Amino acid sequence: MQFLRTAFWVVIAVVLAFFCMANYVPVTVRLWGDMVMETKLPVLLIGAFLLGALPFWIMARATRWRLKRRLDSAERALAVTAAATPPAVVTPPLDADVPSPSLSPLNPTGPV
């Protein structure tokens, strides 16, 4: 699975590199009013992509943080519950060293 993920990112990087080489032209972006920005097209597109992905990245990090806190809280509660419950003591029967009579397949009530 790691190979597929790596191959996917390598393909994306190669396509992005070819796109940047083919479209490395200056563009003029008019911002607010009379503000004008001169930049290269790939820089503009990559910046717009990153700016659009930022809210989703923040949301994913916040969700991961919240779930990690919930998991840690549940693990602490489980540890407290396990520490508060005494372990069950199993006592062997008094005649543990005396073997029980085996049941015969022909006579289910025991030896004759």
Side-chain angles (χ1 to χ4, degrees):
M1 194 62 160
Q2 180 69 25
F3 171 75
L4 291 176
R5 186 182 333 173
T6 303
F8 171 76
W9 285 113
V10 166
V11 167
I12 293 294
V14 168
V15 168
L16 184 64
F18 282 134
F19 174 80
C20 290
M21 287 188 309
N23 294 304
Y24 201 71
V25 295
V27 292
T28 304
V29 179
R30 290 179 44 183
L31 301 171
W32 299 276
D34 59 348
M35 291 178 55
V36 176
M37 180 177 73
E38 286 264 338
T39 185
K40 302 292 184 181
L41 182 62
V43 174
L44 181 66
L45 291 178
I46 292 171
F49 171 78
L50 293 177
L51 189 63
L54 184 66
F56 294 103
W57 180 77
I58 290 172
M59 188 175 60
R61 294 291 296 194
T63 302
R64 182 181 291 176
W65 176 74
R66 189 184 76 236
L67 290 175
K68 186 173 175 11
R69 282 188 53 208
R70 286 181 60 191
L71 181 62
D72 290 343
S73 174
E75 286 177 347
R76 281 194 306 270
L78 184 61
V80 167
T81 305
T85 307
V89 178
V90 178
T91 57
L94 295 176
D95 55 346
D97 51 339
V98 177
S100 62
S102 63
L103 298 176
S104 168
L106 299 176
N107 186 5
T109 59
V112 186

